[in-house]
Amino acid sequence: ILEARDLGNPVQQTSRLLTVVVKDVDDHPPQFERQRNSVPLMMEVEEEMPINMKIGEVIAIDKDIGRNAVIDYAIIYGNDDGVFGISRDDQNRGIITLDKRLDREMSGLHTLTIKCFEP
């Protein structure tokens, strides 16, 4: 409550209620909800799946709110041939898609490193 008064006699005064809204700032980096030393996530995918098909998803958490909580994803290692793609959906999840033909006889195992970051 704010109060203002003068030094007169009689004292005249008024008061007003003040609301302070604390706005969020971008002070939390996004992170995956797993320990660095935990076992890598595993996905099984059949070969010869259609191009652009969703094959999995990853989820990171940002403790900020609103636009400060938007998370982007990138495959930073293990995708030299561009077989996989990743994009953010409207719920902030990283959607992993098949961008090229997947053939088990060519490569039966792919290990990807995915990074989450603020756009």
Side-chain angles (χ1 to χ4, degrees):
I1 297 178
L2 296 175
E3 280 191 9
R5 64 178 76 180
D6 66 14
L7 298 175
N9 190 6
V11 174
Q12 296 193 29
Q13 65 183 24
T14 187
S15 63
R16 175 105 185 174
L17 187 61
L18 172 68
T19 301
V20 177
V21 177
V22 179
K23 295 173 107 182
D24 183 50
V25 296
D26 197 358
D27 59 345
H28 294 96
Q31 335 182 353
F32 290 109
E33 285 191 300
R34 55 189 296 271
Q35 301 299 320
R36 288 183 187 263
N37 59 352
S38 63
V39 176
L41 300 174
M42 276 296 247
M43 281 183 212
E44 289 188 5
V45 180
E46 293 180 6
E47 65 180 335
E48 304 297 339
M49 293 181 77
I51 303 298
N52 295 322
M53 180 154 200
K54 175 184 170 180
I55 60 170
E57 65 183 49
V58 291
I59 300 172
I61 303 297
D62 189 320
K63 293 181 182 177
D64 291 310
I65 60 172
R67 65 186 177 128
N68 290 335
V70 174
I71 302 169
D72 269 344
Y73 299 87
I75 300 171
I76 60 171
Y77 181 78
N79 195 30
D80 296 336
D81 295 332
V83 173
F84 304 97
I86 190 165
S87 60
R88 178 187 67 231
D89 71 0
D90 58 353
Q91 295 180 343
N92 243 2
R93 297 176 298 198
I95 304 302
I96 303 167
T97 55
L98 195 57
D99 285 359
K100 290 185 178 176
R101 181 176 172 266
L102 195 58
D103 185 355
R104 190 195 59 78
E105 286 78 24
M106 296 284 286
S107 180
L109 181 67
H110 298 269
T111 302
L112 306 176
T113 301
I114 298 174
K115 173 184 175 179
C116 62
F117 58 96
E118 298 168 351

